[in-house]
Amino acid sequence: MYRSHSCGELRPSDINKEVTLSGWVQKIRNKGFMIWVDLRDRYGITQLIFDEERTPVAVVEKAKTLGREFVIQIKGTVIERESKNKNIPTGDIEILVTDLNILNDAIVPPFTIEDETDGGEDIRMKYRYLDIRRNPVKNNLMFRHKVGMLVRNYLSNEGFIEVETPYLIKSTPEGARDFIVPSRMNEGQFYALPQSPQTFKQLLMVGGMDKYFQIVKCFRDEDLRADRQPEFTQIDCEMSFVEQEDILSIFENLTRHLIHEIKGVDISDFPRMTYDEAMRTYGNDKPDIRFGMKFGELNAVAKHKDFNVFNTAELVVGIAVPGGASYTRKEIDKLIDWVKRPQVGALGMVYVKCNEDGTYKSSVDKFYDQEDLAKWAETTGAQPGDLICVLSGETNKVRAQLSALRMELAERLELRNPEEFAPLWVVDFPLLEWDEDTQRYHAMHHPFTSPKPEDITLLDTDPGKVRANAYDLVLNGNEIGGGSIRIHDKETQALMFDHLGFTPEEAKAQFGFLMDAFQYGAPPHGGIAFGFDRLVSILGGQETIRDFIAFPKNNSGRDVMIDAPATIDQEQLKELHIKLSI
Amino acid sequence: MYRSHSCGELRPSDINKEVTLSGWVQKIRNKGFMIWVDLRDRYGITQLIFDEERTPVAVVEKAKTLGREFVIQIKGTVIERESKNKNIPTGDIEILVTDLNILNDAIVPPFTIEDETDGGEDIRMKYRYLDIRRNPVKNNLMFRHKVGMLVRNYLSNEGFIEVETPYLIKSTPEGARDFIVPSRMNEGQFYALPQSPQTFKQLLMVGGMDKYFQIVKCFRDEDLRADRQPEFTQIDCEMSFVEQEDILSIFENLTRHLIHEIKGVDISDFPRMTYDEAMRTYGNDKPDIRFGMKFGELNAVAKHKDFNVFNTAELVVGIAVPGGASYTRKEIDKLIDWVKRPQVGALGMVYVKCNEDGTYKSSVDKFYDQEDLAKWAETTGAQPGDLICVLSGETNKVRAQLSALRMELAERLELRNPEEFAPLWVVDFPLLEWDEDTQRYHAMHHPFTSPKPEDITLLDTDPGKVRANAYDLVLNGNEIGGGSIRIHDKETQALMFDHLGFTPEEAKAQFGFLMDAFQYGAPPHGGIAFGFDRLVSILGGQETIRDFIAFPKNNSGRDVMIDAPATIDQEQLKELHIKLSI
């Protein structure tokens, strides 16, 4: 038996017990005839003492050969510690060692195995197995497990059945790029890895499964922006005989449950906002509503004068920065530079200082009088002492720019309370979005999302205006989940494929099995999927999903630890009926 | 709201309630002015009654248009049923319908949606979404979910952490064939899908995770024997600071827990048997010990006469068939034909009838006298009334043949109680096995399995004799789990790769990251993996894993429902830097 207790377990009530512990050497200190070793395992740290007066000489001699990260097993007696350490649960005791067994030695690790390490991200990823020994990473992985168990037990208790769907499926040209897998047994043919189990979960609904969920890996071969992974995990859910309201209700309860269990915080309110309102008010379909600075659209009160920049703009829109009236000229210039950075892309910024005395001082005083500016203040909700920042231009662009500015100011002004959880449902997403590249409409969510019945007639006249039965759950400015009520009849599905530019033949080749299925009695159904990596990182109070993934890939899609992807044998390619085309 | 209750929920205590139900039309019966409809959902069946005297005329007219598998929503009143159906929980009530809403119609399904269907396997797989509506399939999937939850909660409560390991990893030439995934971002390079998370779980042990598990998909591109799937699910576990005994103990407790929760049966005994003993006694490394018919090796008592067949054989071995002495000559000839089938491959069979009067009558009376045959009876444990079946030849082959005969007879004689659960640990597997094709040794489990310390010196002199710290959990003749204590030091791992025919360069290229990891303080560790598909099917009392997989593939690795794999665009191949070599 390697151990009688873990390194996090012993307490003063165990004093005088003979124990066996195993673990890693965290730290060694020598003083006179004494050697102290901090012994670490997943469960904690226990202090060992080798004392030349009480520990056998041979054991002490062996202890002198120990180095950091050696794996050892010791026997000894639990004794009271002289200088207690109140920071760790085992800090009242130590082990007087009587026997020492070196299970494995260790060369010096490439970075220190401490909560605060000297290792940069690259080296920590290459030696991820050492990084995982560090509390911050280890605790994140344990936290992820905890959240997974909470989700599974909650959904299972609610009657959801976890059904595993296949990983080797069929490539579809719709959506993101697929990873593909050549088939050896079916010459010239390929599987694809699923971007999500979307069609399978819908078929499970056709199959009467009623409530389905799965925590499942999904795959997208996209160019990796920061903090995206080619393989990611999704909490995937689907229900039958439901309307949007049923789904929102169940999954806000799940979210409530998670936040309650993890944070001890009870969320009462899950406000709802239409996509249109979110875009108008926050310039963003996943607004962080922990703070204000709502957009004020100024077209009506800014386009009546000779200021051509505004007059030619599609949208003039501003926000009120709390206390910003006190910014110096230099500070404001820096803000203007910030919005003109290529990543934001504004051409300029108009500002209005709302003085404490009720007067206004703006960068466009030449064009606008105090009465005009008072209306701007009213529209943006600016109070005396605030600074109004106004951007203008093409609606979508200017909203994105002002949203970026809003978030930047929230960061600078520390307007977001990290302990607050502010969820929000964004509903009534557009069904379609125009794609400039391909000059056609794409499904904003996916081609199985149902249009609102009252908007169906717009499909032919004004497709961009059709609203979908689609919803996103936003938490503190992050989209943590999204879903929709699906199309469940063959005719609407065919109509949808038609509007997405599929010929009937293409639709049949790609999704024939789904359209066939709809003929045999498909129930009304809908669902939602949560990005599990993101959900866990937000609940864990951190921003980077990579920190919550045991073995993440880097921005080139490489696993630098195992050095994958890699070249493979010609023989192997030949068996798969492919060759390189380099 | 689509429903106030499910179709399995209403009871006499609900009589007079106004309810709304949704579901599928299972059955329609007309009689006089009445129409009865069985309405089905996942939760059960509720009888609806449309009564021309009490249901609005328009609703009755609409009911007349219903067909099987239509999806409907009804409103009505719960009333007491006249002719009660004691076979279903809702059989005491029915719903007097007042309103009917046809949610979706249905064309006639290609097979009947009943527990006993007229559909063959092929058609049911093509329309798997309809097959899933049938109770046997639906219940299997729900059962699988239940087992999964039991496993997860049990392991989680035991301190195991579920950690997700990557699916896009690196191909290794060792073991079965990999599925590979071309990388778009890393030209000419490929990921592989994992055959198991073996190396990652070992790295998690190096990382101090201590107790890991994962219910995870694994992939093997093998020619598919009956009831093998290219993607399958594994309960994958690993622990640190453990010896073999610790692992056996924890996982027999898991197995006990599952059988207790699912079957209400308490298993006290988990016997252990060495691989050698299993092969000698049952000719098989996964013996079904629910019944006897143990092998009796007859070399010592059958090689002393002039019967050349036995004298030239490596092994002469027999089993006693209970009551077999009464078989007619014709029946015995049929048994001989059976062992001579190509699938079994015996050249012939010697038999001995053990008469009730204590005499023997054999097919080799010319060579052996009563005294000889008495010794055979003693060795095989044959009683008066039994038939001794004796095969001979090359040891491995003849054991396999006699094992096949033993199982066939158990089937015919109904010796296996389907309600009995007889687990068995088979331990001390050989480390290596000789491969005739490649003329070298292969790892019997995998190259990370540790040899027994006392056998290490045999590696150079008699590699086939080296025993491993490896174990299989066998349940009713099925291997449900297997694992080993791993190598945890670089030197032994290098030695192992060397014996498997890897050059140091090849070992480094393939598994360098693991050997590196072992330098930084690897703990002693070991683990086990359960075949989840198989485990669920055995606990479910069935034999075919396909019946417990929502969307299985056929023997050519095809998903006939979605028609995958499939050809893909040249454009897509080009992006991946590959082309077809057909």
Side-chain angles (χ1 to χ4, degrees):
Chain A
M1 203 186 51
Y2 277 106
R3 59 190 172 193
S4 60
H5 297 77
S6 79
C7 294
E9 200 174 343
L10 294 167
R11 298 287 182 277
S13 58
D14 298 303
I15 283 169
N16 291 328
K17 273 190 192 155
E18 300 296 315
V19 298
T20 307
L21 300 185
S22 289
W24 284 264
V25 172
Q26 174 76 26
K27 207 183 282 177
I28 309 169
R29 278 163 299 138
N30 288 279
K31 196 175 168 191
F33 301 110
M34 313 281 253
I35 303 171
W36 287 274
V37 168
D38 280 355
L39 188 67
R40 184 196 71 230
D41 67 10
R42 190 184 101 191
Y43 311 94
I45 284 181
T46 297
Q47 181 166 291
L48 313 178
I49 178 164
F50 298 79
D51 172 350
E52 290 193 10
E53 290 188 2
R54 293 179 290 172
T55 302
V57 178
V59 173
V60 174
E61 288 306 310
K62 212 193 272 181
K64 288 179 180 163
T65 71
L66 293 179
R68 279 195 169 217
E69 300 306 317
F70 273 44
V71 184
I72 63 171
Q73 178 191 35
I74 61 98
K75 286 182 202 303
T77 311
V78 184
I79 59 174
E80 190 176 354
R81 194 152 148 183
E82 238 168 68
S83 61
K84 299 196 169 42
N85 179 349
K86 293 294 172 199
N87 298 321
I88 58 172
T90 61
D92 289 339
I93 57 96
E94 61 190 354
I95 314 294
L96 176 65
V97 178
T98 55
D99 202 3
L100 166 64
N101 181 11
I102 298 179
L103 298 172
N104 221 336
D105 56 11
I107 60 175
V108 176
F111 51 88
T112 54
I113 313 292
E114 304 273 3
D115 291 5
E116 297 288 333
T117 181
D118 56 355
E121 168 126 10
D122 289 352
I123 193 91
R124 289 192 291 110
M125 286 303 159
K126 182 165 164 57
Y127 298 92
R128 184 64 162 175
Y129 46 86
L130 298 178
D131 202 24
I132 290 172
R133 287 187 192 164
R134 297 171 51 242
N135 285 321
V137 182
K138 182 194 77 179
N139 291 342
N140 282 354
L141 296 179
M142 291 178 64
F143 180 74
R144 183 183 179 108
H145 165 67
K146 182 182 171 185
V147 177
M149 291 301 298
L150 286 171
V151 169
R152 279 200 164 92
N153 280 305
Y154 185 87
L155 291 175
S156 186
N157 290 336
E158 289 287 320
F160 287 81
I161 303 294
E162 185 161 29
V163 180
E164 294 172 58
T165 52
Y167 279 83
L168 296 172
I169 65 166
K170 192 158 78 167
S171 189
T172 83
E174 188 67 11
R177 227 182 258 107
D178 287 321
F179 283 105
I180 64 160
V181 182
S183 167
R184 183 177 54 85
M185 283 201 275
N186 301 273
E187 195 170 313
Q189 301 192 337
F190 297 80
Y191 302 99
L193 301 179
Q195 295 185 26
S196 89
Q198 182 63 34
T199 49
F200 289 96
K201 68 177 176 176
Q202 292 192 245
L203 291 173
L204 285 170
M205 295 303 104
V206 177
M209 199 43 74
D210 206 76
K211 290 179 178 177
Y212 144 93
F213 84 102
Q214 191 182 187
I215 301 187
V216 61
K217 273 283 176 76
C218 302
F219 304 86
R220 283 186 200 167
D221 185 11
E222 289 300 290
D223 294 323
L224 300 171
R225 282 181 276 153
D227 217 26
R228 282 275 185 111
Q229 291 282 316
E231 50 177 305
F232 55 97
T233 306
Q234 199 161 287
I235 308 171
D236 193 50
C237 306
E238 197 80 4
M239 305 172 74
S240 292
F241 301 114
V242 288
E243 289 158 348
Q244 178 165 315
E245 200 49 46
D246 301 306
I247 294 186
L248 301 197
S249 156
I250 285 204
F251 291 96
E252 43 184 75
N253 283 339
L254 168 64
T255 310
R256 242 181 222 116
H257 175 70
L258 294 178
I259 293 174
H260 175 84
E261 291 292 318
I262 290 161
K263 294 284 171 182
V265 171
D266 289 303
I267 305 282
S268 54
D269 199 25
F270 275 72
R272 288 162 201 198
M273 188 182 289
T274 65
Y275 172 86
D276 276 348
E277 189 186 346
M279 294 307 288
R280 254 187 296 114
T281 318
Y282 297 100
N284 197 311
D285 63 1
K286 41 178 199 280
D288 191 334
I289 58 168
R290 282 177 297 177
F291 62 99
M293 291 173 72
K294 291 186 186 178
F295 287 17
E297 296 199 348
L298 303 173
N299 281 16
V301 289
K303 284 193 161 205
H304 60 297
K305 293 291 172 68
D306 284 341
F307 187 49
N308 240 343
V309 173
F310 284 0
N311 292 347
T312 59
E314 193 179 1
L315 178 67
V316 182
V317 59
I319 49 173
V321 185
S326 63
Y327 289 8
T328 62
R329 178 65 208 240
K330 205 169 159 188
E331 282 171 323
I332 292 176
D333 281 346
K334 273 196 175 169
L335 219 49
I336 295 174
D337 285 345
W338 192 89
V339 298
K340 288 163 87 174
R341 299 182 334 149
Q343 300 94 315
V344 182
L347 294 173
M349 185 181 93
V350 166
Y351 65 88
V352 183
K353 284 185 171 185
C354 306
N355 298 319
E356 296 289 354
D357 63 3
T359 65
Y360 302 95
K361 174 80 193 93
S362 83
S363 57
V364 285
D365 281 350
K366 201 158 60 164
F367 301 99
Y368 299 95
D369 56 29
Q370 292 287 309
E371 200 181 329
D372 292 326
L373 299 179
K375 284 181 186 157
W376 296 15
E378 192 186 342
T379 310
T380 58
Q383 301 297 316
D386 290 357
L387 177 77
I388 307 174
C389 297
V390 182
L391 300 182
S392 63
E394 192 267 306
T395 301
N396 290 342
K397 281 186 188 159
V398 77
R399 280 178 173 167
Q401 291 157 2
L402 194 61
S403 172
L405 177 60
R406 177 176 175 268
M407 294 311 290
E408 173 67 16
L409 288 165
E411 177 71 25
R412 294 187 191 182
L413 301 172
E414 296 181 8
L415 299 179
R416 295 171 301 178
N417 175 1
E419 296 302 312
E420 186 186 349
F421 287 91
L424 171 76
W425 285 110
V426 177
V427 299
D428 296 358
F429 273 80
L431 184 69
L432 305 167
E433 61 185 351
W434 181 253
D435 185 61
E436 280 296 330
D437 289 348
T438 55
Q439 287 289 306
R440 64 179 183 89
Y441 280 102
H442 277 271
M444 191 150 181
H445 274 67
H446 51 58
F448 315 109
T449 301
S450 65
K452 288 201 176 287
E454 61 267 34
D455 288 2
I456 283 191
T457 51
L458 288 173
L459 265 177
D460 289 319
T461 54
D462 195 355
K465 281 273 186 301
V466 178
R467 291 166 307 160
N469 292 311
Y471 34 82
D472 275 1
L473 181 54
V474 175
L475 184 59
N476 294 359
N478 297 281
E479 181 212 321
I480 60 167
S484 62
I485 299 297
R486 325 299 183 188
I487 298 166
H488 69 281
D489 65 288
K490 193 179 174 179
E491 293 69 29
T492 311
Q493 191 62 68
L495 185 72
M496 186 68 184
F497 284 132
D498 182 36
H499 276 89
L500 293 172
F502 284 78
T503 66
E505 293 69 34
E506 285 167 348
K508 190 175 157 49
Q510 287 301 327
F511 299 109
F513 59 96
L514 187 68
M515 311 239 287
D516 283 352
F518 284 173
Q519 296 181 291
Y520 293 101
H525 61 286
I528 195 167
F530 290 82
F532 188 57
D533 308 294
R534 174 72 56 206
L535 178 68
V536 170
S537 75
I538 291 169
L539 291 175
Q542 294 177 36
E543 303 232 316
T544 317
I545 65 169
R546 229 172 14 248
D547 294 342
F548 289 83
I549 296 172
F551 301 103
K553 294 193 172 52
N554 73 9
N555 281 347
S556 316
R558 294 198 70 82
D559 181 326
V560 295
M561 181 185 71
I562 65 169
D563 195 23
T567 55
I568 62 173
D569 285 353
Q570 284 304 318
E571 200 49 44
Q572 216 172 337
L573 293 181
K574 205 173 150 192
E575 277 197 316
L576 297 168
H577 323 290
I578 57 170
K579 53 188 174 187
L580 296 181
S581 68
I582 304 175
Chain B
M1 204 186 49
Y2 278 107
R3 58 190 173 192
S4 60
H5 297 78
S6 79
C7 295
E9 202 174 343
L10 294 167
R11 298 287 182 278
S13 58
D14 297 304
I15 283 169
N16 290 328
K17 275 191 192 154
E18 299 296 314
V19 297
T20 307
L21 300 184
S22 290
W24 284 264
V25 172
Q26 173 77 24
K27 208 183 279 178
I28 310 169
R29 277 162 300 140
N30 288 281
K31 197 176 168 191
F33 301 110
M34 315 280 254
I35 303 171
W36 286 273
V37 169
D38 280 357
L39 188 67
R40 186 197 70 229
D41 67 10
R42 190 185 101 191
Y43 311 93
I45 284 181
T46 297
Q47 181 165 291
L48 313 178
I49 178 164
F50 299 79
D51 173 349
E52 289 194 10
E53 289 188 2
R54 294 179 288 171
T55 303
V57 177
V59 173
V60 174
E61 287 307 311
K62 211 192 272 182
K64 286 178 182 165
T65 69
L66 293 178
R68 279 193 169 217
E69 302 304 319
F70 273 43
V71 185
I72 63 172
Q73 179 191 34
I74 61 99
K75 288 184 203 302
T77 312
V78 184
I79 59 173
E80 189 176 355
R81 194 152 148 183
E82 238 169 67
S83 61
K84 300 196 168 44
N85 179 349
K86 293 294 172 200
N87 297 322
I88 57 171
T90 62
D92 288 339
I93 58 95
E94 61 190 353
I95 314 294
L96 177 65
V97 177
T98 54
D99 202 3
L100 166 63
N101 181 12
I102 298 178
L103 298 172
N104 220 336
D105 57 10
I107 60 174
V108 176
F111 51 87
T112 55
I113 312 292
E114 304 273 2
D115 291 5
E116 296 287 333
T117 180
D118 55 356
E121 168 126 10
D122 289 352
I123 193 91
R124 289 192 291 111
M125 286 303 158
K126 182 163 164 56
Y127 298 93
R128 184 64 163 177
Y129 46 86
L130 298 178
D131 202 24
I132 290 172
R133 288 187 193 166
R134 298 172 51 243
N135 285 320
V137 182
K138 181 194 78 179
N139 291 340
N140 282 353
L141 296 180
M142 292 178 63
F143 180 74
R144 183 184 179 107
H145 164 67
K146 182 182 172 185
V147 178
M149 290 302 297
L150 285 170
V151 169
R152 279 200 165 91
N153 280 306
Y154 185 87
L155 291 176
S156 186
N157 290 336
E158 289 286 322
F160 286 81
I161 303 295
E162 185 161 29
V163 180
E164 295 173 57
T165 52
Y167 279 84
L168 296 172
I169 64 164
K170 191 157 78 166
S171 189
T172 83
E174 188 66 11
R177 225 181 260 107
D178 286 322
F179 283 104
I180 63 160
V181 182
S183 167
R184 182 178 54 86
M185 281 200 276
N186 300 273
E187 196 171 311
Q189 300 191 337
F190 296 80
Y191 302 100
L193 301 179
Q195 296 185 26
S196 89
Q198 182 63 35
T199 48
F200 289 97
K201 69 176 174 175
Q202 292 192 243
L203 291 173
L204 285 170
M205 294 305 104
V206 176
M209 199 42 74
D210 206 77
K211 290 179 178 177
Y212 145 92
F213 84 103
Q214 189 181 190
I215 300 187
V216 61
K217 273 283 177 78
C218 302
F219 304 85
R220 283 185 201 169
D221 185 13
E222 289 300 289
D223 295 322
L224 299 171
R225 283 182 275 153
D227 217 25
R228 283 273 186 112
Q229 291 283 318
E231 51 177 304
F232 56 96
T233 306
Q234 198 161 288
I235 308 171
D236 193 51
C237 306
E238 197 81 2
M239 306 172 73
S240 292
F241 302 113
V242 287
E243 288 157 349
Q244 177 166 314
E245 200 50 44
D246 301 306
I247 293 186
L248 301 198
S249 156
I250 285 205
F251 290 97
E252 43 184 75
N253 284 340
L254 169 64
T255 310
R256 242 181 222 118
H257 175 71
L258 293 178
I259 293 175
H260 175 84
E261 290 293 316
I262 289 161
K263 294 284 171 183
V265 172
D266 289 306
I267 306 283
S268 53
D269 199 25
F270 275 72
R272 290 167 198 194
M273 189 181 288
T274 65
Y275 172 87
D276 277 348
E277 188 185 345
M279 294 307 287
R280 254 188 296 111
T281 318
Y282 298 100
N284 198 311
D285 62 0
K286 42 177 195 280
D288 190 333
I289 58 167
R290 281 178 296 177
F291 62 100
M293 292 175 69
K294 292 186 185 177
F295 287 15
E297 296 198 348
L298 302 173
N299 281 17
V301 289
K303 284 192 160 204
H304 60 298
K305 293 293 172 66
D306 285 341
F307 188 48
N308 240 344
V309 174
F310 283 1
N311 293 347
T312 58
E314 191 181 2
L315 177 67
V316 183
V317 59
I319 49 172
V321 185
S326 63
Y327 288 6
T328 62
R329 177 64 208 244
K330 207 170 156 188
E331 284 172 322
I332 292 178
D333 281 346
K334 275 196 172 168
L335 218 50
I336 295 175
D337 286 345
W338 192 90
V339 298
K340 288 163 86 173
R341 298 181 335 150
Q343 300 94 316
V344 183
L347 294 173
M349 183 180 93
V350 165
Y351 66 87
V352 183
K353 284 187 170 184
C354 306
N355 298 320
E356 296 288 354
D357 64 5
T359 63
Y360 302 95
K361 175 78 194 93
S362 84
S363 57
V364 284
D365 281 351
K366 203 158 61 165
F367 301 99
Y368 299 96
D369 56 27
Q370 292 287 309
E371 202 181 326
D372 292 327
L373 300 179
K375 284 181 185 154
W376 296 15
E378 193 188 339
T379 310
T380 59
Q383 301 298 314
D386 290 357
L387 177 77
I388 307 174
C389 298
V390 183
L391 300 181
S392 63
E394 191 268 306
T395 302
N396 290 342
K397 281 187 188 159
V398 75
R399 280 178 173 167
Q401 291 157 2
L402 193 62
S403 173
L405 177 62
R406 176 175 175 271
M407 293 311 290
E408 172 67 15
L409 288 165
E411 176 70 25
R412 293 188 191 181
L413 301 172
E414 295 179 8
L415 299 180
R416 295 172 300 178
N417 175 0
E419 296 302 312
E420 186 185 347
F421 287 91
L424 171 76
W425 285 110
V426 177
V427 298
D428 295 358
F429 273 80
L431 183 70
L432 304 167
E433 61 185 350
W434 181 254
D435 185 61
E436 281 298 330
D437 288 349
T438 55
Q439 287 289 307
R440 65 179 181 91
Y441 280 102
H442 278 272
M444 192 151 180
H445 275 66
H446 52 57
F448 315 109
T449 301
S450 65
K452 288 199 176 289
E454 61 269 34
D455 289 2
I456 283 192
T457 50
L458 289 172
L459 265 177
D460 289 319
T461 54
D462 195 354
K465 281 273 185 301
V466 178
R467 291 166 307 160
N469 292 313
Y471 34 81
D472 275 0
L473 182 54
V474 175
L475 184 60
N476 295 359
N478 298 280
E479 181 211 322
I480 58 167
S484 63
I485 299 297
R486 326 298 183 187
I487 298 166
H488 70 281
D489 65 288
K490 193 180 175 178
E491 293 70 29
T492 311
Q493 191 62 67
L495 186 71
M496 185 69 184
F497 284 132
D498 182 36
H499 276 89
L500 293 172
F502 284 78
T503 65
E505 292 69 35
E506 285 167 348
K508 190 175 157 51
Q510 287 300 326
F511 299 110
F513 58 97
L514 187 67
M515 312 240 287
D516 282 351
F518 284 173
Q519 296 181 292
Y520 293 102
H525 61 285
I528 194 167
F530 290 82
F532 188 58
D533 307 295
R534 173 73 56 209
L535 177 67
V536 170
S537 76
I538 291 169
L539 292 175
Q542 293 177 37
E543 303 233 316
T544 317
I545 66 170
R546 225 166 25 243
D547 295 342
F548 289 83
I549 296 173
F551 301 103
K553 294 192 170 53
N554 73 9
N555 281 347
S556 315
R558 296 199 69 82
D559 181 327
V560 296
M561 181 185 73
I562 65 168
D563 196 24
T567 55
I568 61 172
D569 285 354
Q570 284 305 319
E571 199 49 44
Q572 216 172 337
L573 293 181
K574 205 175 151 190
E575 276 197 318
L576 298 167
H577 324 289
I578 58 170
K579 53 188 174 185
L580 296 180
S581 68
I582 303 173

